[in-house]
Coordinates of all heavy atoms in Angstrom, one line a residue:
M1 N 63.5 19.8 20.6 CA 63.4 20.6 21.8 C 62.3 21.7 21.7 O 61.5 21.9 22.5 CB 64.8 21.2 22.2 CG 64.8 22.1 23.4 SD 64.6 21.0 24.8 CE 65.0 22.2 26.1
K2 N 62.3 22.3 20.5 CA 61.3 23.3 20.2 C 59.9 22.8 20.2 O 59.0 23.4 20.7 CB 61.7 24.0 18.8 CG 61.0 25.3 18.6 CD 61.6 25.9 17.3 CE 61.1 27.3 17.1 NZ 61.6 27.9 15.9
K3 N 59.8 21.6 19.6 CA 58.5 20.9 19.6 C 58.0 20.6 21.0 O 56.8 20.8 21.3 CB 58.6 19.6 18.7 CG 57.3 18.8 18.6 CD 57.5 17.6 17.8 CE 56.2 16.8 17.7 NZ 56.4 15.6 17.0
E4 N 58.9 20.2 21.8 CA 58.5 19.9 23.2 C 58.0 21.1 24.0 O 57.1 21.1 24.8 CB 59.6 19.2 24.0 CG 60.1 17.9 23.3 CD 58.9 16.8 23.2 OE1 58.1 16.7 24.1 OE2 58.9 16.2 22.2
L5 N 58.7 22.2 23.7 CA 58.3 23.5 24.3 C 56.9 24.0 23.9 O 56.2 24.5 24.6 CB 59.4 24.6 24.1 CG 60.6 24.5 24.9 CD1 61.7 25.5 24.4 CD2 60.4 24.6 26.4
Y6 N 56.7 23.7 22.6 CA 55.3 24.0 22.1 C 54.3 23.2 22.7 O 53.2 23.6 23.0 CB 55.3 23.9 20.6 CG 55.9 25.0 19.8 CD1 56.8 24.8 18.7 CD2 55.7 26.3 20.2 CE1 57.3 25.8 18.0 CE2 56.3 27.4 19.4 CZ 57.2 27.1 18.4 OH 57.7 28.1 17.7
I7 N 54.6 21.9 22.9 CA 53.6 21.0 23.5 C 53.4 21.4 25.0 O 52.3 21.5 25.4 CB 54.1 19.5 23.4 CG1 54.1 19.1 22.0 CG2 53.3 18.6 24.3 CD1 54.7 17.7 21.7
F8 N 54.5 21.7 25.7 CA 54.4 22.2 27.1 C 53.6 23.5 27.2 O 52.7 23.6 28.0 CB 55.8 22.4 27.7 CG 55.8 22.6 29.2 CD1 55.7 21.5 30.0 CD2 55.7 23.9 29.7 CE1 55.8 21.7 31.4 CE2 55.7 24.1 31.1 CZ 55.7 23.0 31.9
G9 N 53.9 24.4 26.3 CA 53.1 25.7 26.3 C 51.6 25.5 25.9 O 50.8 26.1 26.5
G10 N 51.4 24.6 25.0 CA 50.0 24.3 24.6 C 49.2 23.7 25.8 O 48.0 24.0 26.1
I11 N 49.9 22.8 26.5 CA 49.2 22.1 27.7 C 49.0 23.2 28.8 O 47.9 23.2 29.4 CB 50.1 21.0 28.2 CG1 50.1 19.8 27.3 CG2 49.6 20.5 29.6 CD1 51.1 18.7 27.6
F12 N 50.0 24.1 29.0 CA 49.8 25.1 29.9 C 48.6 26.0 29.6 O 47.8 26.3 30.5 CB 51.1 26.0 30.0 CG 51.1 27.1 31.0 CD1 51.3 26.9 32.3 CD2 50.7 28.4 30.5 CE1 51.3 27.9 33.2 CE2 50.7 29.4 31.4 CZ 51.0 29.2 32.8
L13 N 48.5 26.5 28.4 CA 47.4 27.3 28.0 C 46.1 26.6 28.0 O 45.1 27.2 28.5 CB 47.6 27.9 26.5 CG 48.7 28.9 26.4 CD1 48.9 29.2 24.9 CD2 48.3 30.1 27.2
F14 N 46.0 25.3 27.6 CA 44.9 24.5 27.8 C 44.4 24.4 29.2 O 43.1 24.6 29.5 CB 45.1 23.1 27.1 CG 43.9 22.2 27.3 CD1 42.9 22.3 26.4 CD2 43.9 21.2 28.2 CE1 41.8 21.4 26.5 CE2 42.9 20.3 28.3 CZ 41.8 20.4 27.5
L15 N 45.3 24.1 30.1 CA 44.9 24.0 31.5 C 44.5 25.4 32.1 O 43.5 25.4 32.8 CB 46.0 23.4 32.3 CG 46.3 21.9 32.0 CD1 47.5 21.5 32.8 CD2 45.1 21.0 32.4
A16 N 45.2 26.4 31.8 CA 45.0 27.7 32.4 C 43.6 28.2 31.9 O 42.8 28.7 32.7 CB 46.1 28.7 32.0
I17 N 43.3 28.1 30.6 CA 42.1 28.6 30.1 C 40.9 27.7 30.5 O 39.8 28.1 30.9 CB 42.1 28.8 28.6 CG1 43.1 29.9 28.3 CG2 40.8 29.1 28.0 CD1 43.4 30.1 26.8
G18 N 41.2 26.4 30.5 CA 40.2 25.4 30.8 C 39.7 25.5 32.3 O 38.5 25.4 32.6
M19 N 40.6 25.7 33.2 CA 40.3 25.7 34.6 C 39.9 27.1 35.1 O 39.1 27.2 36.1 CB 41.5 25.2 35.4 CG 42.0 23.8 35.2 SD 40.7 22.6 35.5 CE 40.4 22.8 37.2
H20 N 40.3 28.1 34.5 CA 40.0 29.5 34.9 C 39.5 30.3 33.8 O 39.8 31.5 33.7 CB 41.3 30.1 35.4 CG 42.0 29.4 36.5 ND1 41.5 29.4 37.8 CD2 43.1 28.6 36.5 CE1 42.3 28.6 38.6 NE2 43.3 28.2 37.8
F21 N 38.6 29.8 33.0 CA 38.0 30.5 31.8 C 37.4 31.8 32.2 O 37.6 32.8 31.6 CB 37.1 29.6 31.1 CG 36.5 30.2 29.8 CD1 37.3 30.3 28.7 CD2 35.3 30.7 29.8 CE1 36.9 30.9 27.5 CE2 34.8 31.3 28.6 CZ 35.6 31.4 27.5
K22 N 36.5 31.7 33.2 CA 35.7 32.9 33.6 C 36.7 34.0 34.1 O 36.5 35.2 33.7 CB 34.7 32.6 34.7 CG 33.9 33.7 35.1 CD 32.8 33.3 36.1 CE 32.0 34.5 36.5 NZ 32.2 35.0 37.7
E23 N 37.7 33.7 34.8 CA 38.7 34.6 35.4 C 39.5 35.3 34.2 O 39.7 36.5 34.2 CB 39.6 34.0 36.4 CG 38.9 33.7 37.7 CD 38.2 32.3 37.7 OE1 38.2 31.6 36.6 OE2 37.7 32.0 38.7
W24 N 39.9 34.5 33.2 CA 40.6 35.0 32.1 C 39.8 35.8 31.2 O 40.3 36.7 30.5 CB 41.3 33.9 31.3 CG 42.5 33.3 32.0 CD1 42.5 32.0 32.6 CD2 43.7 33.9 32.3 NE1 43.8 31.9 33.1 CE2 44.5 33.0 33.0 CE3 44.2 35.1 32.0 CZ2 45.8 33.3 33.5 CZ3 45.5 35.4 32.5 CH2 46.3 34.5 33.2
I25 N 38.5 35.6 31.1 CA 37.6 36.5 30.3 C 37.2 37.8 31.1 O 37.3 38.9 30.5 CB 36.3 35.7 29.9 CG1 36.7 34.5 29.1 CG2 35.3 36.6 29.3 CD1 37.4 34.8 27.8
D26 N 36.9 37.6 32.4 CA 36.4 38.8 33.1 C 37.5 39.8 33.5 O 37.4 41.0 33.4 CB 35.7 38.4 34.4 CG 34.3 37.7 34.1 OD1 33.8 37.9 32.9 OD2 33.8 37.0 35.0
H27 N 38.6 39.2 34.1 CA 39.6 40.1 34.7 C 41.0 39.3 34.7 O 41.5 38.9 35.7 CB 39.3 40.5 36.1 CG 38.8 39.4 37.0 ND1 37.5 39.0 37.0 CD2 39.5 38.7 37.9 CE1 37.4 38.0 37.9 NE2 38.6 37.8 38.5
P28 N 41.6 39.2 33.5 CA 42.8 38.4 33.4 C 44.0 39.1 34.1 O 44.8 38.3 34.7 CB 43.1 38.4 31.8 CG 42.4 39.5 31.3 CD 41.1 39.7 32.2
V29 N 44.2 40.4 34.1 CA 45.4 41.0 34.7 C 45.2 40.8 36.3 O 46.2 40.4 36.9 CB 45.4 42.5 34.3 CG1 46.5 43.2 35.1 CG2 45.6 42.6 32.9
K30 N 44.1 41.0 36.8 CA 43.8 40.8 38.2 C 44.1 39.4 38.6 O 44.8 39.1 39.7 CB 42.5 41.3 38.6 CG 42.2 41.1 40.1 CD 40.8 41.5 40.4 CE 40.5 41.3 41.9 NZ 39.1 41.3 42.2
H31 N 43.6 38.5 37.8 CA 43.8 37.1 38.1 C 45.3 36.7 38.1 O 45.8 36.0 39.0 CB 43.1 36.2 37.0 CG 43.1 34.8 37.3 ND1 42.5 34.2 38.4 CD2 43.8 33.8 36.6 CE1 42.7 32.9 38.3 NE2 43.5 32.6 37.3
A32 N 46.1 37.2 37.1 CA 47.5 37.0 37.1 C 48.3 37.6 38.2 O 49.2 37.0 38.7 CB 48.1 37.5 35.7
M33 N 47.8 38.8 38.7 CA 48.5 39.5 39.8 C 48.2 38.8 41.1 O 49.0 38.9 42.0 CB 48.0 40.9 39.8 CG 48.4 41.7 38.6 SD 50.1 41.8 38.2 CE 50.6 43.0 39.4
E34 N 47.2 38.0 41.2 CA 46.9 37.3 42.4 C 47.6 35.9 42.5 O 47.4 35.2 43.5 CB 45.4 37.1 42.6 CG 44.6 38.4 42.8 CD 43.1 38.2 42.9 OE1 42.6 37.1 42.7 OE2 42.4 39.2 43.1
L35 N 48.3 35.6 41.5 CA 49.0 34.3 41.5 C 49.9 34.1 42.7 O 49.9 33.0 43.3 CB 49.8 34.1 40.2 CG 50.4 32.8 39.9 CD1 49.3 31.7 39.9 CD2 51.1 32.8 38.7
P36 N 50.7 35.1 43.2 CA 51.5 34.8 44.3 C 50.7 34.4 45.6 O 51.3 33.8 46.5 CB 52.3 36.1 44.6 CG 52.3 36.8 43.2 CD 51.0 36.3 42.6
N37 N 49.5 34.8 45.7 CA 48.6 34.4 46.8 C 47.8 33.2 46.6 O 46.9 32.9 47.4 CB 47.7 35.6 47.1 CG 48.5 36.9 47.4 OD1 49.6 36.9 48.0 ND2 47.9 38.0 46.9
A38 N 48.0 32.4 45.5 CA 47.3 31.3 45.3 C 47.6 30.2 46.2 O 48.7 30.0 46.7 CB 47.6 30.8 43.9
G39 N 46.6 29.4 46.6 CA 46.7 28.3 47.5 C 46.3 27.0 47.0 O 45.6 26.2 47.7
A40 N 46.4 26.7 45.7 CA 46.0 25.5 45.1 C 46.6 24.3 45.7 O 47.8 24.0 45.5 CB 46.1 25.6 43.6
Y41 N 45.9 23.5 46.4 CA 46.3 22.3 47.0 C 47.6 22.4 47.8 O 48.4 21.5 47.9 CB 46.5 21.2 46.0 CG 45.2 20.9 45.2 CD1 45.1 21.4 43.9 CD2 44.1 20.3 45.7 CE1 43.9 21.2 43.2 CE2 43.0 20.0 45.0 CZ 42.9 20.5 43.8 OH 41.7 20.3 43.1
G42 N 47.8 23.6 48.4 CA 49.0 23.8 49.2 C 50.3 24.0 48.4 O 51.4 24.1 48.9
I43 N 50.2 24.1 47.0 CA 51.4 24.3 46.2 C 51.7 25.7 46.1 O 52.9 26.1 45.9 CB 51.1 23.6 44.8 CG1 50.9 22.1 45.0 CG2 52.3 23.8 43.9 CD1 50.4 21.4 43.7
G44 N 50.7 26.6 46.0 CA 51.0 28.0 46.0 C 51.2 28.5 44.6 O 50.5 28.1 43.6
A45 N 52.0 29.5 44.4 CA 52.2 30.2 43.2 C 52.7 29.4 42.0 O 52.5 29.7 40.9 CB 53.1 31.4 43.4
I46 N 53.4 28.3 42.3 CA 54.0 27.5 41.2 C 53.0 26.4 40.7 O 53.4 25.5 39.9 CB 55.3 26.8 41.6 CG1 55.1 25.9 42.8 CG2 56.3 27.9 41.9 CD1 56.4 25.0 43.0
H47 N 51.7 26.4 41.3 CA 50.8 25.3 40.9 C 50.6 25.2 39.4 O 50.4 24.1 38.9 CB 49.5 25.4 41.7 CG 48.6 26.5 41.2 ND1 48.6 27.8 41.7 CD2 47.5 26.4 40.4 CE1 47.7 28.5 41.1 NE2 47.0 27.7 40.3
P48 N 50.6 26.3 38.6 CA 50.4 26.1 37.2 C 51.5 25.3 36.5 O 51.3 24.4 35.7 CB 50.4 27.5 36.6 CG 50.0 28.4 37.7 CD 50.6 27.7 38.9
L49 N 52.7 25.5 37.0 CA 53.8 24.7 36.4 C 53.9 23.3 36.9 O 54.2 22.4 36.1 CB 55.2 25.4 36.7 CG 55.4 26.8 36.1 CD1 56.7 27.4 36.6 CD2 55.4 26.7 34.6
V50 N 53.4 23.1 38.1 CA 53.4 21.7 38.7 C 52.4 20.9 37.9 O 52.6 19.7 37.5 CB 53.2 21.7 40.2 CG1 52.9 20.3 40.7 CG2 54.3 22.4 40.9
F51 N 51.2 21.4 37.8 CA 50.1 20.7 37.1 C 50.4 20.5 35.6 O 50.2 19.4 35.0 CB 48.8 21.4 37.3 CG 48.3 21.4 38.7 CD1 47.6 22.5 39.1 CD2 48.5 20.4 39.5 CE1 47.1 22.6 40.5 CE2 48.1 20.4 40.9 CZ 47.4 21.5 41.3
T52 N 51.0 21.5 35.0 CA 51.4 21.4 33.6 C 52.5 20.3 33.4 O 52.4 19.5 32.5 CB 51.9 22.7 33.0 OG1 50.9 23.7 33.2 CG2 52.3 22.6 31.5
A53 N 53.5 20.3 34.3 CA 54.6 19.3 34.2 C 54.0 17.9 34.4 O 54.4 16.9 33.7 CB 55.6 19.6 35.2
A54 N 53.0 17.8 35.3 CA 52.5 16.4 35.6 C 51.7 15.9 34.3 O 51.9 14.8 33.9 CB 51.5 16.5 36.8
L55 N 50.9 16.8 33.7 CA 50.2 16.4 32.5 C 51.2 16.2 31.3 O 51.0 15.2 30.5 CB 49.1 17.4 32.2 CG 48.2 16.9 31.0 CD1 47.5 15.6 31.3 CD2 47.2 18.0 30.7
Y56 N 52.2 17.0 31.3 CA 53.2 16.8 30.2 C 53.9 15.5 30.3 O 54.1 14.8 29.3 CB 54.2 17.9 30.3 CG 55.3 17.8 29.3 CD1 55.2 18.0 27.9 CD2 56.6 17.3 29.7 CE1 56.2 17.8 27.0 CE2 57.6 17.1 28.8 CZ 57.4 17.4 27.5 OH 58.4 17.2 26.6
L57 N 54.2 15.0 31.5 CA 54.8 13.7 31.7 C 53.9 12.6 31.3 O 54.4 11.6 30.7 CB 55.3 13.5 33.2 CG 56.4 14.4 33.6 CD1 56.7 14.2 35.1 CD2 57.7 14.0 32.8
V58 N 52.6 12.7 31.5 CA 51.7 11.7 31.0 C 51.6 11.7 29.5 O 51.7 10.6 28.9 CB 50.2 12.0 31.6 CG1 49.2 11.1 31.0 CG2 50.3 11.8 33.1
V59 N 51.6 12.9 28.9 CA 51.5 13.0 27.4 C 52.8 12.5 26.8 O 52.8 11.7 25.8 CB 51.3 14.4 27.0 CG1 51.4 14.6 25.5 CG2 49.8 14.9 27.4
L60 N 53.9 12.8 27.5 CA 55.2 12.3 26.9 C 55.3 10.8 27.0 O 55.8 10.1 26.1 CB 56.3 13.0 27.7 CG 57.8 12.6 27.3 CD1 58.0 13.2 25.9 CD2 58.8 13.2 28.3
T61 N 54.9 10.2 28.1 CA 54.9 8.8 28.3 C 54.0 8.1 27.2 O 54.5 7.1 26.6 CB 54.4 8.4 29.7 OG1 55.2 9.0 30.7 CG2 54.4 6.9 29.9
V62 N 52.8 8.6 26.9 CA 52.0 8.0 25.9 C 52.6 8.2 24.6 O 52.6 7.2 23.8 CB 50.6 8.7 26.0 CG1 49.7 8.3 24.8 CG2 49.8 8.4 27.3
R63 N 53.2 9.3 24.3 CA 53.8 9.5 23.0 C 55.0 8.6 22.8 O 55.2 8.1 21.7 CB 54.4 11.0 22.8 CG 53.3 12.0 22.7 CD 53.8 13.4 22.6 NE 54.8 13.5 21.5 CZ 55.8 14.3 21.6 NH1 56.1 14.9 22.7 NH2 56.7 14.4 20.6
K64 N 55.8 8.3 23.8 CA 56.9 7.3 23.7 C 56.4 6.0 23.5 O 57.0 5.2 22.7 CB 57.8 7.5 25.0 CG 58.5 8.8 25.1 CD 59.5 9.0 24.0 CE 60.2 10.4 24.2 NZ 61.1 10.7 23.1
I65 N 55.4 5.6 24.2 CA 54.8 4.2 24.0 C 54.3 4.0 22.6 O 54.5 3.0 22.0 CB 53.8 3.9 25.1 CG1 54.4 3.8 26.5 CG2 53.0 2.6 24.8 CD1 53.5 3.7 27.7
V66 N 53.5 5.0 22.2 CA 53.0 4.9 20.8 C 54.1 4.9 19.8 O 54.0 4.2 18.8 CB 52.0 6.1 20.6 CG1 51.6 6.2 19.1 CG2 50.8 5.9 21.4
G67 N 55.2 5.7 20.1 CA 56.3 5.7 19.2 C 57.0 4.3 19.1 O 57.5 3.9 18.0
L68 N 57.1 3.7 20.2 CA 57.7 2.3 20.2 C 56.9 1.3 19.4 O 57.5 0.5 18.7 CB 57.9 1.8 21.6 CG 59.0 2.5 22.5 CD1 58.9 2.0 23.9 CD2 60.4 2.2 21.9
F69 N 55.6 1.3 19.6 CA 54.8 0.3 18.9 C 54.4 0.8 17.5 O 54.0 0.0 16.7 CB 53.5 0.1 19.7 CG 53.7 -0.7 21.0 CD1 53.5 -0.1 22.2 CD2 54.2 -1.9 21.0 CE1 53.7 -0.7 23.4 CE2 54.5 -2.6 22.2 CZ 54.2 -2.0 23.4
G70 N 54.6 2.0 17.2 CA 54.2 2.6 15.9 C 55.3 2.4 14.9 O 55.1 2.4 13.7
R71 N 56.5 2.1 15.3 CA 57.6 1.9 14.4 C 57.5 0.6 13.6 O 57.3 -0.5 14.2 CB 59.0 1.9 15.1 CG 59.3 3.3 15.6 CD 60.6 3.3 16.2 NE 60.9 4.6 16.8 CZ 61.7 4.9 17.7 NH1 62.5 4.0 18.2 NH2 61.9 6.1 18.3
K72 N 57.7 0.6 12.4 CA 57.6 -0.6 11.5 C 59.0 -1.1 11.3 O 59.9 -0.3 11.0 CB 56.9 -0.3 10.2 CG 55.5 0.1 10.4 CD 54.8 0.3 9.1 CE 53.4 0.7 9.4 NZ 52.6 0.8 8.2
T73 N 59.2 -2.4 11.4 CA 60.5 -3.0 11.1 C 60.6 -3.4 9.7 O 59.5 -3.7 9.0 CB 60.7 -4.2 12.0 OG1 59.6 -5.2 11.8 CG2 60.8 -3.8 13.5
K74 N 61.8 -3.4 9.1 CA 61.9 -3.7 7.7 C 62.1 -5.2 7.5 O 62.5 -6.0 8.2 CB 63.2 -3.0 7.1 CG 62.9 -1.5 7.1 CD 64.2 -0.9 6.5 CE 63.9 0.6 6.4 NZ 65.0 1.3 5.8

């Protein structure tokens, strides 16, 4: 469970910094305070969690598929 939270948090940071690099460098507090007024694709303030969850599900699916084929039988 702890490993999955680290993966989710890593994806969250990767997406947040990757998509809003200039804002996080120039004025991070102002950018975070404007989150309730965000209008990203009509999702609003929860868009960071929605996009992170979507990418996490893709990563989780790939990890599970690789895990199934990666196991060696005796």
Side-chain angles (χ1 to χ4, degrees):
M1 180 73 168
K2 197 173 188 181
K3 180 180 178 182
E4 300 302 321
L5 286 174
Y6 284 136
I7 292 171
F8 189 87
I11 291 171
F12 180 84
L13 289 174
F14 176 76
L15 291 175
I17 293 171
M19 296 303 294
H20 303 286
F21 184 75
K22 184 176 182 253
E23 290 84 359
W24 285 111
I25 297 299
D26 290 343
H27 47 277
V29 175
K30 181 182 175 191
H31 185 68
M33 298 302 280
E34 291 177 358
L35 187 60
N37 302 325
Y41 302 106
I43 300 172
I46 63 167
H47 77 273
L49 294 177
V50 172
F51 295 145
T52 302
L55 187 59
Y56 175 75
L57 289 175
V58 171
V59 169
L60 182 66
T61 302
V62 170
R63 286 179 57 221
K64 294 296 181 182
I65 290 172
V66 169
L68 286 174
F69 290 117
R71 292 185 184 158
K72 295 183 180 184
T73 58
K74 293 182 180 180

